[in-house]
Amino acid sequence: MPYRRKFLTRAGYTTLSALLTMGFLQKDKQKEDHSTDSITANYINVNSPLRQLAAAKGKRYGAAISSDILLKEKDYANLIARECSIVTPNGELKWNATEPQPGQFTFESADAIADFCQKHNIDLHGHTLFWHMGRPDWLPYPPTLKMIERHVKGVMGHYRKSKVLKSWDIANEIIADNENETDNLTYGLRKGVKPELIRDLFLIAASVDNSKKFYLNDFGIEGATWKSERFLKMVEYLKNSGVKIDGAGLQSHLWFSTAYGFDEKGFNSVLKRLNDLEVKPIITELDIIIDTPLPDSIKKLDQMVADSYKRYLDLCFAAKVDTVITWGLTDRHSWIRHPDWMPRKTFRDNPNLWKFLRPLPFDENLQAKSARNAIAQAFEQAT
Ligand code: G3I
């Protein structure tokens, strides 16, 4: 059966939108209270907005979004509002955006996202207070404790009273990729970063606003790797230091392939160890690339992406993960397609392969793909 008929037609969306407008699904109440997403549980099916399918299981679904696109592209803004109960700003809360000059703060673009969240009853995930990238030119890495203190006070302070901003990636990507990139083999921190500095960063954050959830966020930790081992050690160190750390963000920029397997056992053990440490795992930047050898059609590729989403999310939900954020909602805006970020030489050197970079649930025309159906099914089947 053609995929479109199988799970999503324009008519399906139109009918649902009409029901929403009529108040049949209590859309108005959603503005006040997230639990109303789940009031609709009796009416939902696989075509329902992902936020409703997630809410029916006490979970959240969301995406990374950009304020400039939100303002320019109405169809995109509508899709975000329809599908997401949580969003992460793509760049608006990074240091280069919020403190472009020392001590001078600016929140125009981040506030535009916060206002959008307020209007559509969406949680905002604050990304990020500390990162080796997304830095203004004047900022060293790592920054001094004084710079960190001023920054955290400035940025977290601005959102202290926010009703939508519920969580922060306090630190992002602090673990090196391998032992050659660190001078600390125990924790594997990027060169120059001391565990005490990260501890103090979390302490400062808690002193500014401990009402939000605090995460340590990283990539390449979705399996038993040198890096995930160091990440877990660092989480353990922070817990043992008595600082507030509520969760671990598993970014999940994933590569699936027919040529090699996904390390399910290793991934499950990471999830288990986090749960044992009482540090909640959430999925913060999920997208799926299919590596070479590529299938001979886009249809087959989309199915591989969808199957990979399903397989991955089934594992997450079995471990009680309750928040899934994809790094973008549509292939139109995926970072993977940006020439500066394009993955691996295979793709960079072969523009004819770029059409195979389809990592997200909706395509460049904002039409749902099989991946969206797979995410919907994973939420439906979650216990
Ligand atoms: O908005 C400007 C535009 O006005 C200008 O014309 C253009 C010129 O290149 O740049 C645009 O800004 C770019 C921005 O993305 C929006 O597309 C920046 O140059 C570019 O550096 C920026 O890259 C972002 C990157 O983080 C650095 O902040 C990517 O979009 C974003 O996807 C990426 O996100 C990271 C996460 O924060 C952490 N985990 C990995 C993830 C992917 O790399």
Side-chain angles (χ1 to χ4, degrees), residues 169-336:
D169 283 337
I170 301 292
N172 187 41
E173 301 177 9
I174 57 173
I175 311 293
D177 286 340
N178 56 60
E179 58 191 15
N180 302 323
E181 294 172 9
T182 184
D183 41 29
N184 181 330
L185 285 176
T186 309
Y187 299 115
L189 294 167
R190 288 181 189 280
K191 282 188 178 150
V193 182
K194 300 267 177 294
E196 294 81 8
L197 185 74
I198 303 301
R199 177 200 63 198
D200 292 349
L201 162 69
F202 274 79
L203 281 173
I204 293 166
S207 76
V208 178
D209 180 6
N210 68 4
S211 69
K212 313 288 195 264
K213 299 287 184 207
F214 288 5
Y215 290 88
L216 183 66
N217 193 47
D218 219 319
F219 70 94
I221 52 173
E222 303 82 10
T225 59
W226 181 91
K227 188 166 177 176
S228 66
E229 192 55 39
R230 268 77 205 163
F231 179 86
L232 289 163
K233 286 234 170 72
M234 195 55 205
V235 169
E236 200 172 7
Y237 163 82
L238 290 169
K239 279 296 264 191
N240 290 341
S241 306
V243 306
K244 171 181 159 63
I245 169 167
D246 302 290
L250 310 181
Q251 290 189 9
S252 312
H253 296 290
L254 300 177
W255 293 75
F256 278 80
S257 158
T258 46
Y260 51 80
F262 176 72
D263 176 18
E264 273 186 30
K265 197 165 156 237
F267 180 51
N268 277 328
S269 88
V270 170
L271 293 170
K272 180 173 181 321
R273 283 174 66 185
L274 288 169
N275 279 320
D276 290 348
L277 285 164
E278 296 180 354
V279 167
K280 202 177 158 87
I282 64 168
I283 306 305
T284 49
E285 305 188 14
L286 177 59
D287 49 18
I288 291 178
I289 302 173
I290 300 301
D291 205 351
T292 49
L294 292 164
D296 57 18
S297 74
I298 295 291
K299 197 172 168 209
K300 284 186 198 158
L301 179 109
D302 280 353
Q303 196 53 50
M304 282 175 80
V305 173
D307 293 345
S308 307
Y309 264 105
K310 180 69 170 43
R311 197 167 141 209
Y312 188 66
L313 290 180
D314 284 349
L315 297 175
C316 293
F317 294 156
K320 306 279 172 241
V321 167
D322 71 0
T323 299
V324 175
I325 301 169
T326 48
W327 202 245
L329 189 59
T330 83
D331 294 336
R332 187 193 288 178
H333 306 113
S334 171
W335 69 293
I336 297 291

Side-chain angles (χ1 to χ4, degrees), residues 62-204:
I65 67 171
S66 297
S67 56
D68 54 340
I69 309 174
L70 210 55
L71 298 174
K72 275 195 300 227
E73 299 179 17
K74 191 120 186 56
D75 53 351
Y76 166 82
N78 289 342
L79 192 65
I80 298 288
R82 185 194 134 89
E83 300 292 335
C84 298
S85 49
I86 180 167
V87 297
T88 307
N90 186 66
E92 290 77 352
L93 281 172
K94 288 170 184 167
W95 203 310
N96 57 357
T98 54
E99 194 186 351
Q101 297 301 326
Q104 288 178 22
F105 292 92
T106 155
F107 297 105
E108 207 183 318
S109 57
D111 283 352
I113 292 183
D115 292 348
F116 179 82
C117 289
Q118 181 78 38
K119 191 164 162 211
H120 296 286
N121 190 27
I122 298 174
D123 289 349
L124 178 57
H125 180 62
H127 172 83
T128 173
L129 296 168
F130 184 99
W131 192 28
H132 63 293
M133 298 177 86
R135 274 184 299 136
D137 292 342
W138 58 268
L139 187 74
Y141 186 84
T144 64
L145 196 56
K146 255 194 154 156
M147 289 171 182
I148 290 174
E149 194 166 9
R150 181 178 62 198
H151 185 70
V152 171
K153 279 186 176 159
V155 179
M156 283 185 89
H158 183 78
Y159 292 100
R160 196 166 20 215
K161 295 209 174 110
S162 168
K163 292 206 176 76
V164 291
L165 198 149
K166 306 266 173 62
S167 49
W168 283 103
D169 283 337
I170 301 292
N172 187 41
E173 301 177 9
I174 57 173
I175 311 293
D177 286 340
N178 56 60
E179 58 191 15
N180 302 323
E181 294 172 9
T182 184
D183 41 29
N184 181 330
L185 285 176
T186 309
Y187 299 115
L189 294 167
R190 288 181 189 280
K191 282 188 178 150
V193 182
K194 300 267 177 294
E196 294 81 8
L197 185 74
I198 303 301
R199 177 200 63 198
D200 292 349
L201 162 69
F202 274 79
L203 281 173
I204 293 166

Side-chain angles (χ1 to χ4, degrees), residues 4 10 73 75-76 79 329-333 337 358 362-369:
R4 216 165 273 212
R10 276 224 158 275
E73 299 179 17
D75 53 351
Y76 166 82
L79 192 65
L329 189 59
T330 83
D331 294 336
R332 187 193 288 178
H333 306 113
R337 289 184 167 196
R358 296 169 64 84
F362 289 81
D363 72 12
E364 57 278 7
N365 298 313
L366 310 194
Q367 297 301 304
K369 301 188 309 181

